[in-house]
Amino acid sequence: MDDAFTLLRRATGLLPRDARIGIGATVDDVRDFQHRREWGFVLDLLMEFGDEHPVPVAFWSLLETAARQMMLERAAQWCGWREGEVRHGTFRAVLSLPSAREGRRRTAFAGQGQLRPVWDIGRVTADGGREMYIAAVWVEGAERLGPGESAPVRLAPLSPDRWRHLTPGTVITMHEGRPVAGTATILQVVAPLEKQVRSAEEEG
């Protein structure tokens, strides 16, 4: 198996040559930091590039493996999550949890995809019952989310094609039993980037 540094170099080679991120860094800057052997910063930069530019699945897979070799577990988890979004699409929302007095949950949950509740996304069965679907939750910008709190989240459905009817502003509900465990307002639904990357390569 390649070492982490080789994996990061391979990931860099998958970026568009003229790519630039919001802080002004270019692909040449990434290579410069590689020459300086500042590998932690290289990984951070590459994750920024991946978040701002369409990249293939292999890009995030390489970063995930490199991060695990570097013992950076949270970074590895994020790269694995982003790999899933490239394959299946991105679903972002603002999730609000009821207070401990109003809801069933008494403690905060870890926000790196460990929680996999069921959701009512507005679909009904043939006999009029509510269809429920499982989706993991990643909390943006926070380690945990607790009762009475709200935060932007990313959702990873087990059946993403069943979620593509959602549009910004749609309200869905999270369930961990009764009563409702949380209410989410959709912010963004993005088609799988894998298809977008493939289309761009074919057009090029």
Side-chain angles (χ1 to χ4, degrees):
M1 176 183 292
D2 289 334
D3 61 33
F5 317 126
T6 300
L7 296 173
L8 294 178
R9 291 191 183 97
R10 288 173 56 192
T12 304
L14 296 176
L15 292 172
R17 291 185 179 180
D18 59 350
R20 181 185 296 268
I21 55 177
I23 61 174
T26 66
V27 176
D28 285 339
D29 291 324
V30 176
R31 292 197 171 96
D32 183 47
F33 284 111
Q34 289 172 353
H35 291 317
R36 300 181 194 179
R37 300 183 180 277
E38 297 185 30
W39 297 110
F41 190 53
V42 168
L43 176 61
D44 289 341
L45 283 177
L46 289 174
M47 289 192 293
E48 289 286 341
F49 273 95
D51 285 338
E52 295 187 22
H53 295 275
V55 292
V57 169
F59 176 87
W60 288 110
S61 179
L62 289 167
L63 293 194
E64 180 184 9
T65 303
R68 293 198 188 283
Q69 290 189 21
M70 296 165 71
M71 307 296 288
L72 299 172
E73 185 58 28
R74 181 173 171 80
Q77 290 174 338
W78 174 244
C79 293
W81 185 278
R82 292 291 286 120
E83 179 183 350
E85 289 186 335
V86 172
R87 292 182 186 277
H88 305 299
T90 301
F91 301 86
R92 297 182 63 245
V94 173
L95 174 62
S96 299
L97 303 184
S99 67
R101 179 180 299 177
E102 298 170 321
R104 182 174 182 176
R105 175 171 286 278
R106 299 291 182 267
T107 60
F109 66 84
Q112 292 75 54
Q114 296 92 333
L115 184 68
R116 298 172 180 269
V118 296
W119 299 81
D120 181 348
I121 60 174
R123 291 189 175 276
V124 297
T125 62
D127 59 4
R130 309 301 295 184
E131 287 190 341
M132 308 296 281
Y133 296 91
I134 296 173
V137 182
W138 185 288
V139 181
E140 296 183 355
E143 294 282 344
R144 309 177 74 81
L145 188 67
E149 297 178 340
S150 297
V153 298
R154 305 172 90 102
L155 305 176
L158 290 186
S159 305
D161 288 342
R162 303 293 290 171
W163 292 59
R164 303 211 190 281
H165 67 288
L166 299 175
T167 57
T170 303
V171 176
I172 61 177
T173 53
M174 183 178 85
H175 298 261
E176 298 179 278
R178 296 179 181 275
V180 171
T183 301
T185 302
I186 298 297
L187 294 175
Q188 182 184 35
V189 176
V190 180
L193 284 175
E194 185 175 28
K195 295 180 181 178
Q196 298 180 28
V197 171
R198 188 181 301 120
S199 296
E201 291 174 346
E202 291 173 353
E203 291 175 1

